[in-house]
Amino acid sequence: MQFLHPIRLKSSLHETIWGGRWLERDGWKQLPPGNINIGESWETELTTIAQNEPYMGRTLGSLVEELGSGLLGEQVIARFGCRFPLLAKFLDANAKLSVQVHPDDTYAHLHEQGKLGKTEFWYVLDAAPGASIIHGFKTATSQEEVRQAIQDFTLENLLNEVNVSTGDIIFVPAGTVHAIGKGVLLYELQEYSDLTYRLYDYGRLTSAGTPRELHVERSLDVSHYDCSPHIKMQSLLLHNGEGFKNRCLAACQYFVTCELVFYKNTIMNGYMKKETHGSCIIRTSLGAEIVVRYGEAFDYGEKLIKGQTMVLPAELGSYCLEGSGALLLSYVPGPEDEIWRAWEVKNAL
C-alpha cells in the first residue's frame, strides 16, 4: 500500500459582480491587490494546488487520478464514482446573488451529459444586521405562476425571504429555489457540480452592459413549488467535554459536516477515524491552528491555520490532532452512517 499524506490546498479565488473584500478584511484569505471583488474562494476545486510535500505543485485533480481509491475511499466511489465528490467554498455576498436552483442527480444525468446535480448547505460565518437569504416560496405556487412572475418582474413577491445571523445552518436540497442576500459571509459545501440554473437576476447587467444569462425553462423543470419545510437546521451534539466540542451541522446521502471546537491544546489519537475510514476527509479551519500528526509513530505533521483547507486521504491511516480553535470536517457517509441518520431524526427529515 502506498504511503499517503494530507493534502493542503491553495484556494482558487473567483471574481464576481456581487463579491467584495470581506475574506481579506477578516483574515480568511489574502486577496489580489486592487479593486477586485472576490465572491468565492473554492477550497477543493480540481485545479487547486497542493502546498505541501510530497505533492507540492500538483493539482487536486491529478492526485485523484494518480491515487484513486486510496485518496477517495470506497464510500466516495460507491456514491460518486472515481471523482472528487465535494466542493467546499467561502462566499462573500457583498451584494445579493441571483435567484437560482440546482437540478438533482437524475435530471443532471439525463439532461447535462451525466453530470452530478447539486445539494448543498451553508454555514453562516458572519452577517450584517438585517441580512437575509431566499429559500423557496412564501406559499405553495405553480410553474405557470412562477413563469408569469418572471415575465412581469414580480418574482420577488413570491419568494420566501428569511433573516440570517452568525451560526445559522441552512440546508439547500436540489430543486430548492434560493438566493443569498447582501451582507452574508458563509461556508458552503456541495456536491461537486457546476450546474446552476439562474431563474431571476433583478435585471442586472454584466460588465459588458448586457443582461446576465437566465435558464428559465430548465429552472422551472427542476424547481420545487411547495413551501420549504425546513430552512434553519439544528446541529446534533456529538461530544462536549474533555477539551473539545463536536457537533454535526448538516448530513445527507452526499455529505456529513461536523464542527470541532478545541477548548485548549488537545491530542486525540485517531479521532473520527472510525466514522470516516471509507471516505477522504475535508478539513477547513475556521480559526483553529492545528497540526495533523500521522504515520506509524505520528512522526509526520502538517499544519492548518485559519481559512485553509486540507484533504486527508481515506487510506491515510491513524492520525491525531493537536491544537486549538474551530474547524470543520466533511466526508461522504456510508448507507448506515449513524451521525447522518441521527441528524435527520433531530431535524425531522
Side-chain angles (χ1 to χ4, degrees):
M1 181 184 297
Q2 184 176 359
F3 184 68
L4 300 180
H5 303 260
I7 308 166
R8 182 164 46 82
L9 296 166
K10 180 179 175 62
S11 305
S12 172
L13 302 177
H14 294 255
E15 184 178 6
T16 66
I17 65 172
W18 44 263
R21 308 286 295 187
W22 203 340
L23 290 170
E24 181 175 65
R25 188 169 67 245
D26 284 2
W28 295 99
K29 302 290 177 183
Q30 182 176 347
L31 301 186
N35 189 27
I36 299 175
N37 293 322
I38 300 298
E40 302 188 15
S41 173
W42 292 15
E43 302 299 292
T44 54
E45 188 177 18
L46 292 177
T47 59
T48 52
I49 305 296
Q51 299 296 291
N52 60 296
E53 298 295 349
Y55 309 127
M56 179 73 75
R58 298 282 304 279
T59 66
L60 177 60
S62 71
L63 292 172
V64 169
E65 290 181 6
E66 177 185 331
L67 303 176
S69 62
L71 169 57
L72 297 174
E74 295 176 359
Q75 290 166 195
V76 170
I77 293 174
R79 173 66 65 185
F80 293 101
C82 197
R83 52 179 152 186
F84 199 79
L86 303 171
L87 180 57
K89 300 178 180 179
F90 288 95
L91 272 75
D92 170 10
N94 188 53
K96 58 188 177 182
L97 278 67
S98 62
V99 179
Q100 52 193 236
V101 65
H102 308 303
D104 62 18
D105 290 347
T106 300
Y107 187 95
H109 181 77
L110 290 174
H111 299 279
E112 299 286 358
Q113 294 76 52
K115 291 184 178 182
L116 292 174
K118 190 191 297 188
T119 286
E120 63 191 30
F121 101 96
W122 307 330
Y123 186 35
V124 180
L125 303 177
D126 204 353
S132 65
I133 57 104
I134 287 167
H135 198 288
F137 298 97
K138 293 177 182 176
T139 59
T141 184
S142 68
Q143 185 179 97
E144 286 309 310
E145 187 177 9
V146 172
R147 187 195 307 275
Q148 189 63 49
I150 294 170
Q151 293 174 359
D152 296 341
F153 299 99
T154 59
L155 183 63
E156 291 167 86
N157 296 336
L158 301 181
L159 300 173
N160 184 34
E161 187 172 0
V162 179
N163 287 344
V164 292
S165 57
T166 302
D168 282 344
I169 304 161
I170 313 294
F171 187 57
V172 188
T176 305
V177 173
H178 63 276
I180 302 169
K182 178 181 179 179
V184 181
L185 179 71
L186 59 80
Y187 183 87
E188 175 181 295
L189 190 79
Q190 58 161 87
E191 290 181 80
Y192 201 113
S193 172
D194 61 356
L195 291 180
T196 294
Y197 298 155
R198 193 177 295 126
L199 186 65
Y200 191 71
D201 198 35
Y202 314 101
R204 287 188 294 198
L205 302 179
T206 67
S207 58
T210 58
R212 292 213 292 169
E213 181 184 7
L214 299 181
H215 316 94
V216 174
E217 292 307 318
R218 292 209 166 179
S219 296
L220 294 173
D221 280 348
V222 304
S223 293
H224 297 159
Y225 295 99
D226 294 330
C227 300
S228 298
H230 303 280
I231 300 176
K232 296 185 180 182
M233 314 307 289
Q234 299 182 62
S235 65
L236 174 69
L237 185 63
L238 302 172
H239 178 94
N240 191 12
E242 300 179 7
F244 72 97
K245 179 179 180 180
N246 180 23
R247 62 191 184 119
C248 177
L249 302 182
C252 62
Q253 61 182 314
Y254 305 113
F255 53 77
V256 172
T257 298
C258 296
E259 181 185 49
L260 284 78
V261 180
F262 296 80
Y263 301 131
K264 57 184 178 181
N265 286 342
T266 307
I267 299 178
M268 293 177 290
N269 188 358
Y271 179 66
M272 294 298 291
K273 181 174 182 291
K274 179 180 178 183
E275 290 84 354
T276 59
H277 66 88
S279 170
C280 54
I281 305 170
I282 299 170
R283 295 189 179 275
T284 299
S285 171
L286 300 185
E289 293 193 6
I290 65 164
V291 176
V292 178
R293 300 203 180 278
Y294 63 102
E296 189 172 335
F298 302 108
D299 46 353
Y300 294 88
E302 194 60 49
K303 189 175 182 181
L304 193 69
I305 62 173
K306 181 178 178 178
Q308 290 184 337
T309 295
M310 175 188 295
V311 175
L312 274 59
E315 294 182 3
L316 178 70
S318 297
Y319 65 92
C320 64
L321 304 176
E322 178 181 338
S324 60
L327 70 152
L328 300 180
L329 70 87
S330 302
Y331 64 92
V332 175
E336 305 303 322
D337 188 275
E338 294 180 358
I339 296 176
W340 166 22
R341 300 305 182 183
W343 184 89
E344 286 192 330
V345 169
K346 174 151 191 176
N347 286 280
L349 295 177

